[in-house]
Amino acid sequence: NAGVTQTPKFRVLKTGQSMTLLCAQDMNHEYMYWYRQDPGMGLRLIHYSVGEGTTAKGEVPDGYNVSRLKKQNFLLGLESAAPSQTSVYFCASSYGQLLRETQYFGPGTRLLVL
Amino acid sequence: DAKTTQPPSMDCAEGRAANLPCNHSTISGNEYVYWYRQIHSQGPQYIIHGLKNNETNEMASLIITEDRKSSTLILPHATLRDTAVYYCIVPRNSGNTPLVFGKGTRLSVIA
């Protein structure tokens, strides 16, 4: 099992450009999450999904959109990138019926917006 | 999540036990204590969780005080690879709310 994978690993964008980050999991988990982490900070939840076709806002959702068309994939979109979105983005998934249950994280995507 | 307080940083000699404290004095009901860690540049990794009794797995031990207001994560024989940020999280038991990761404790294992 690959666990949780993220594509791409690293990306440089210019202000105003758009991109999509892909998260995939092969553990048949119901719940998936997108976090961002800025230097010296803890993780902050952007959006999450409690099942295929569902999404919900987390702590810092502005400037991002998400989609969960397939159970194994969770996409994070930036429609018009801003320098404030320079960060490391982590995807996670969990099996359980509650959001507090154990999460499994991907390796991260490093995004630089110039 | 219930508020947790952790020291910002700690050092530990390689081969010695690392004891990471966490205060969660507002913990209530059947709220669990979770520990994760994040090694530099990697995604966080689940370590252990517990409710009342002490827990042990292949990675660590979790000691929860009888009043449940604090806990200690123990890495029995710390290695250089245990250098990481350790997060103590007490998710809210009511409703279905996501985990909140604070700033954690940065553990440095020194040779």
Side-chain angles (χ1 to χ4, degrees):
Chain A
N1 288 347
V4 179
T5 58
Q6 295 184 229
T7 309
K9 290 184 170 56
F10 178 71
R11 184 76 183 269
V12 179
L13 288 179
K14 295 181 180 178
T15 296
Q17 288 185 318
S18 63
M19 78 163 294
T20 300
L21 284 67
L22 170 64
C23 177
Q25 52 93 4
D26 61 2
M27 296 175 283
N28 201 34
H29 284 173
E30 286 294 333
Y31 292 0
M32 296 187 74
Y33 315 78
W34 275 108
Y35 294 87
R36 62 176 287 174
Q37 186 172 37
D38 301 310
M41 302 286 290
L43 283 83
R44 291 185 293 171
L45 183 64
I46 304 171
H47 286 280
Y48 63 97
S49 168
V50 298
E52 183 178 322
T54 74
T55 64
K57 294 181 179 179
E59 181 186 357
V60 288
D62 294 342
Y64 304 95
N65 57 75
V66 288
S67 64
R68 184 99 180 268
L69 299 179
K70 294 182 178 180
K71 184 178 183 178
Q72 64 267 34
N73 295 336
F74 195 28
L75 304 179
L76 177 71
L78 287 74
E79 291 186 349
S80 180
S84 60
Q85 294 178 304
T86 292
S87 190
V88 181
Y89 291 85
F90 290 102
C91 176
S93 69
S94 62
Y95 172 77
Q97 297 300 307
L98 292 169
L99 290 165
R100 60 176 173 266
E101 297 199 15
T102 302
Q103 295 184 22
Y104 298 86
F105 284 79
T109 294
R110 283 148 186 78
L111 176 64
L112 174 62
V113 182
L114 302 175
Chain B
D1 293 3
K3 182 177 172 56
T4 61
T5 304
Q6 299 179 255
S9 64
M10 294 180 63
D11 292 338
C12 177
E14 188 178 21
R16 304 296 293 269
N19 298 291
L20 292 93
C22 180
N23 286 323
H24 32 78
S25 57
T26 60
I27 196 170
S28 62
N30 292 323
E31 292 175 342
Y32 283 76
V33 181
Y34 281 76
W35 284 84
Y36 285 75
R37 74 178 182 183
Q38 186 175 22
I39 296 170
H40 181 63
S41 299
Q42 298 181 21
Q45 176 189 26
Y46 164 80
I47 301 173
I48 198 168
H49 73 281
L51 180 62
K52 295 180 181 178
N53 300 321
N54 298 337
E55 302 287 346
T56 296
N57 63 20
E58 65 277 5
M59 292 182 66
S61 295
L62 175 61
I63 307 298
I64 303 174
T65 58
E66 193 168 340
D67 63 7
R68 304 210 319 123
K69 293 185 177 182
S70 65
S71 59
T72 301
L73 180 74
I74 301 172
L75 309 178
H77 305 286
T79 70
L80 298 178
R81 288 175 292 182
D82 292 320
T83 292
V85 177
Y86 288 77
Y87 298 98
C88 170
I89 305 170
V90 178
R92 195 184 314 164
N93 203 39
S94 60
N96 193 17
T97 56
L99 297 179
V100 176
F101 288 80
K103 294 189 176 181
T105 295
R106 181 173 298 277
L107 175 69
S108 298
V109 180
I110 303 167

